[in-house]
């Protein structure tokens, strides 16, 4: 499974006016015949002020239930949906859909807990938290904030690696589909992914130099269109393949022991590892909690933000789950034990080759922008920390105006140039050393699911609602958290075992696909 994009409209990230306007601007002024002006005493200053600004002094939020639902669906559904057929194939017709449904239920429940942590204290009138990290800092504080930040930034770094692998796989798929078509399937069309990863890395080095990528407001629109384009193509081809076969493939218990795959013959031990890895893939498919607070910060009130967000979360996860089940189950029904790790790049499909090219091009376009959206928070963190550490260093803080024809003036900062370039080079190099698509995504899903989707939302909710220790509610929440921790650990073990297995047949920088 491939990390999906969680791009959001610029309203979530754009600079917001912090200062309050002078209340005199909101006083009605009466002009008298002698040209003297007096403020109308009957004017309700607070009422007029509240029409333009929210209780935190920021411009009125305008987000609605439908907008929030769209944001969540855009954030959740991404290219990772294409690997769900593989994940279902490891678990089978019984456990596959059930596990996917359970992940949806857990995600829905913990997300609803998190919506009540948007405001510290009272969920209606309390202090607003604009980001996930702010909520953790405001409600929990202490070492837990640092732990949350560490997990978040490591996860973002891992996602950048995953995107590099995924983009190169899709670029190779375009080349290979045309090769297969030209040779009528006679040429195996083996090729190395290194050149494609380097190409993607060069593009990201260039895009990374944009100081504030959030200002590219059309990014989320493009990402959403691309996301639904390739997801719909994968689903449609799965349905077409099932119709062609005139039967549903697969078994109740998943991939059979003895099945020959690209990694070799599946043994009983590998069957266990692959099943655990599938858990990580499914866990990652639903993870969007880290941006939930940011989406909630766009919603207007009344009614209270958490009420609107709870409805939006319920509808969006329901839609996402139906879509995931369709894509995963139809892909498994089409290919059975041979379901590829990526429905569009694993060459379960060969024709129509032009449709596959369109779908894979959509993935690449999606990932070029998504890489930046995920990397920008990490870029900003390092650059702000460096500016505080070396405030007098021109290398770190100075910006130089570089005129660019047709584009205006670009503000060059040497630290930003060097640091972001090193970051992209590092993620590209790691991706080239370990281009194991499903394994890397499984690790990311296992690493991020429990702490970010389950542990912190539950811990914040307990603190926010002052739920006493050893009460039935407290015990139930702790049991849920512990169960999800075990699942995350098992998924991590399975994914690491997959990496070890792949390394046995992989030669860095030399292996062709």
């Amino acid at each position: 499974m491939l990390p999906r994009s969680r791009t959001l409209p610029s309203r979530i990230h754009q600079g917001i006016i912090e200062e309050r306007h002078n209340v005199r601007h909101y006083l009605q002024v009466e002009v008298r015949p002698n040209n003297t002006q007096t403020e109308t005493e009957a004017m309700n200053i607070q009422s007029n002020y509240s029409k333009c600004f929210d209780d935190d002094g920021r411009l009125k939020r305008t987000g609605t239930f439908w907008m929030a639902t769209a944001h969540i669906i855009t954030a959740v559904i991404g290219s990772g949906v294409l690997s769900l057929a593989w994940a279902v194939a490891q678990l089978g017709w019984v456990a596959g859909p059930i596990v996917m449904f359970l992940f949806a239920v857990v995600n829905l429940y913990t997300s609803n807990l998190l919506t009540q942590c948007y405001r510290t204290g009272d969920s209606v009138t309390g202090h607003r938290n604009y980001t996930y990290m702010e909520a953790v800092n405001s409600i929990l504080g202490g070492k837990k904030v640092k732990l949350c930040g560490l997990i978040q930034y490591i996860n973002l770094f891992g996602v950048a690696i995953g995107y590099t692998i995924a983009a190169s796989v899709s670029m190779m798929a375009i080349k290979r589909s045309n090769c297969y078509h030209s040779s009528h399937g006679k040429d195996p069309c083996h090729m190395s992914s290194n050149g494609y990863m380097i190409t993607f890395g060069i593009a990201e080095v260039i895009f990374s130099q944009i100081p504030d990528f959030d200002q590219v407001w059309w990014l989320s629109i493009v990402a959403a269109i691309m996301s639904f384009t390739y997801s719909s193509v994968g689903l449609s081809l799965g349905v077409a393949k099932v119709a062609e076969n005139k039967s549903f493939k697969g078994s109740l218990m998943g991939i059979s022991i003895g099945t020959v795959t690209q990694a070799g013959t599946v043994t009983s031990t590998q069957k266990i590892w692959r099943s655990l890895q599938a858990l990580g893939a499914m866990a990652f498919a639903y993870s969007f909690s880290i941006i939930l607070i940011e989406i909630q910060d766009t919603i207007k009130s009344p009614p209270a933000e958490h009420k609107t967000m709870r409805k939006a979360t319920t509808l969006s996860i329901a839609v996402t789950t139906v879509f995931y089940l369709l894509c995963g189950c139809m892909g498994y029904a089409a290919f059975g034990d041979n379901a590829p790790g990526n429905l569009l790049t694993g060459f379960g499909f060969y024709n129509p080759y032009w449709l596959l090219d369109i779908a894979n091009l959509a993935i690449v376009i999606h990932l070029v922008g998504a890489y930046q959206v995920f990397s920008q928070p990490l870029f900003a963190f390092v650059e702000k920390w460096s500016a505080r550490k070396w405030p007098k260093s021109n290398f770190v803080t100075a910006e130089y105006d570089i005129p660019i024809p047709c584009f205006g003036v670009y503000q060059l900062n040497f630290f930003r140039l060097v640091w972001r370039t090193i970051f992209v080079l590092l993620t590209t190099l790691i991706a080239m050393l370990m281009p194991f698509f499903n394994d890397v995504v499984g690790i990311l899903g296992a690493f991020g699911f429990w702490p970010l989707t389950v542990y912190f939302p539950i811990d914040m909710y307990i603190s926010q609602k002052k739920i006493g220790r050893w009460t039935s509610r407290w015990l139930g929440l702790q049991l849920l958290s512990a169960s999800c921790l075990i699942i995350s650990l098992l998924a991590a073990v399975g994914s690491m075992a997959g990496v070890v297995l792949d390394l046995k047949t992989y030669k860095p920088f030399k292996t062709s696909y």
Side-chain angles (χ1 to χ4, degrees), residues 449-488:
F449 172 68
W450 177 71
L452 300 177
T453 303
V454 180
Y455 172 72
F456 283 112
I458 285 179
D459 210 24
M460 284 192 288
Y461 180 79
I462 289 174
S463 177
Q464 180 91 314
K465 298 300 181 180
K466 297 180 174 58
I467 299 175
R469 283 177 173 270
W470 309 113
T471 60
S472 58
R473 187 71 185 279
W474 184 90
L475 288 172
L477 291 170
Q478 295 300 336
L479 180 61
L480 173 62
S481 182
S483 301
C484 291
L485 172 59
I486 293 172
I487 292 173
S488 289

Side-chain angles (χ1 to χ4, degrees), residues 277-296:
Q277 186 180 340
L279 295 179
M282 290 183 178
F284 191 87
Y286 282 102
S287 299
F288 75 100
S289 297
I290 200 162
I291 53 149
L292 184 145
I293 297 293
E294 289 185 314
I295 296 175
Q296 192 167 347

